Amino acid sequence: MDWDNLRFFLELSRAGRLTTAARRLGVDHTTVSRRLQALEKSLGVALFIRDTSGYTLTEAGRSLLPQVELMEGASVRIEQALPNPGETLSGQVRIGATEGYGTMLVAGQLSELSHRHPHLHLDLLALPRAVRLSRHEADIVITLERPERGPFIITKLTDYVLRLYAGKDYLQQHGPINTRNDLEKHRFVSYVDDLVFSKDLLFLDEIAGSGAVGVRSTSVLAQQEAIAAGAGLGILPAFTADQDPRLQLILPAQIRFIRTFWMLMPIELKDIARMRVTWDFLREMAERERGRLLGLS
């Protein structure tokens, strides 16, 4: 029996869709279909029921699955025992992240991961919306909201700090801001309320005497550009705003928010070597950037 065909069977059993399994394996969906047909022909049984919702295991497929998972576990242990396991690590990993964290931090970090494991194929979805594991949009997700339930491995990745900023040119035109009461004279930049990534990002109600919102955007990076251009004041993550020389921190002792990034992965992916290595790498990078995330550097 060809182990390669079993590997395709295992990935399809987890993904439920040809296109998702193909993406994770780094091949075309027709290759997955062809491999599955070859396996079913060699065994003389159908392993999946195919319908419009995707692929579900037959009774024969459910019987085969735990045996193949044991084979996969043995393969992982062999890989770990190799002198240079990183040289053999391959396949595709898709990472979903919030737009700011994904763009400003993860994108640069993945260069290092790629150098460590040159045969890995890394996709980064840095989006101003939630990336859904339940829809197989990504393999690992960094998000703001910890799910209350689900078949996921979940870890607290890091806390991060958000503060109030204004464009330096804006302050030259409108004068200094020394107290919360001064905020009443200013306009703000914020999220589109009904399209916000997380309700935890709606801060302005917590700022006493806050003025009207002049510009709204679903994108935190677009907000940062608007603030730097003089559209008003706004709450931004320190890890993005502190790097921008056009911005100035406002009332740092009085206005400071702490939020948390969580990292999730489907349980069925936890023993796949490339997923585990990527997971550990992202945790390592978050710890390395702790000072920047907390606004300490």
Side-chain angles (χ1 to χ4, degrees):
M1 186 179 299
D2 190 336
W3 159 244
D4 241 9
N5 290 342
L6 291 172
R7 185 166 59 91
F8 281 76
F9 159 79
L10 188 58
E11 205 66 68
L12 184 57
S13 71
R14 290 166 171 165
R17 292 184 176 277
L18 277 179
T19 52
T20 305
R23 174 180 58 76
R24 290 178 178 173
L25 290 162
V27 299
D28 188 84
H29 73 277
T30 57
T31 301
V32 180
S33 179
R34 186 173 66 253
R35 292 281 194 161
L36 176 61
Q37 289 173 12
L39 178 61
E40 289 179 327
K41 182 177 180 180
S42 68
L43 296 174
V45 293
L47 299 173
F48 290 93
I49 299 171
R50 302 156 175 83
D51 57 35
T52 55
S53 64
Y55 283 64
T56 56
L57 289 168
T58 62
E59 184 175 349
R62 289 193 298 271
S63 298
L64 179 62
L65 181 59
Q67 307 306 317
V68 180
E69 288 177 331
L70 287 174
M71 294 176 67
E72 181 191 42
S75 175
V76 169
R77 289 190 292 274
I78 292 170
E79 184 178 82
Q80 291 174 327
L82 293 173
N84 297 299
E87 293 182 4
T88 64
L89 202 65
S90 63
Q92 188 171 37
V93 181
R94 178 169 287 183
I95 302 161
T98 62
E99 180 200 27
Y101 192 84
T103 302
M104 302 302 291
L105 289 172
V106 178
Q109 294 165 357
L110 291 184
S111 174
E112 181 173 338
L113 181 59
S114 184
H115 284 303
R116 291 186 192 181
H117 305 286
H119 299 296
L120 273 183
H121 300 286
L122 302 166
D123 289 351
L124 174 62
L125 279 62
L127 301 172
R129 66 165 179 84
V131 178
R132 301 185 185 279
L133 287 177
S134 60
R135 296 181 182 175
H136 307 292
E137 292 181 335
D139 304 311
I140 297 172
V141 166
I142 298 169
T143 186
L144 279 166
E145 296 185 342
R146 189 188 195 281
E148 296 180 0
R149 66 180 71 88
F152 309 127
I153 303 296
I154 303 171
T155 189
K156 178 180 176 179
L157 185 62
T158 182
D159 288 333
Y160 72 105
V161 164
L162 304 100
R163 298 187 290 208
L164 182 63
Y165 294 87
K168 291 179 179 178
D169 292 342
Y170 176 91
L171 290 175
Q172 288 180 359
Q173 296 173 21
H174 294 82
I177 300 171
N178 299 314
T179 69
R180 281 179 177 261
N181 290 336
D182 292 336
L183 299 178
E184 296 177 1
K185 301 177 290 187
H186 296 273
R187 291 172 71 79
F188 286 81
V189 176
S190 187
Y191 284 94
V192 180
D193 289 11
D194 59 331
L195 296 175
V196 68
F197 187 100
S198 167
K199 298 300 182 184
D200 286 343
L201 296 177
L202 297 176
F203 305 103
L204 295 188
D205 288 344
E206 301 182 45
I207 302 176
S210 62
V213 178
V215 174
R216 301 178 191 269
S217 176
T218 57
S219 163
V220 69
L221 299 182
Q223 290 176 44
Q224 183 165 320
E225 287 300 311
I227 294 166
L233 314 181
I235 301 293
L236 295 170
F239 67 80
T240 68
D242 286 351
Q243 313 297 311
D244 192 332
R246 302 170 298 172
L247 298 177
Q248 183 167 317
L249 187 59
I250 304 298
L251 303 177
Q254 300 177 49
I255 299 176
R256 181 175 182 267
F257 300 92
I258 297 178
R259 295 293 184 265
T260 299
F261 285 124
W262 300 90
M263 189 160 65
L264 293 70
M265 176 170 62
I267 289 175
E268 67 265 21
L269 301 184
K270 67 182 179 65
D271 293 324
I272 298 177
R274 66 182 184 275
M275 303 299 177
R276 188 181 62 253
V277 165
T278 304
W279 176 274
D280 291 342
F281 173 82
L282 292 170
R283 294 189 68 179
E284 174 192 342
M285 292 297 103
E287 180 60 29
R288 180 188 295 182
E289 297 288 354
R290 186 171 180 271
R292 178 177 173 183
L293 287 158
L294 296 179
L296 303 176
S297 60

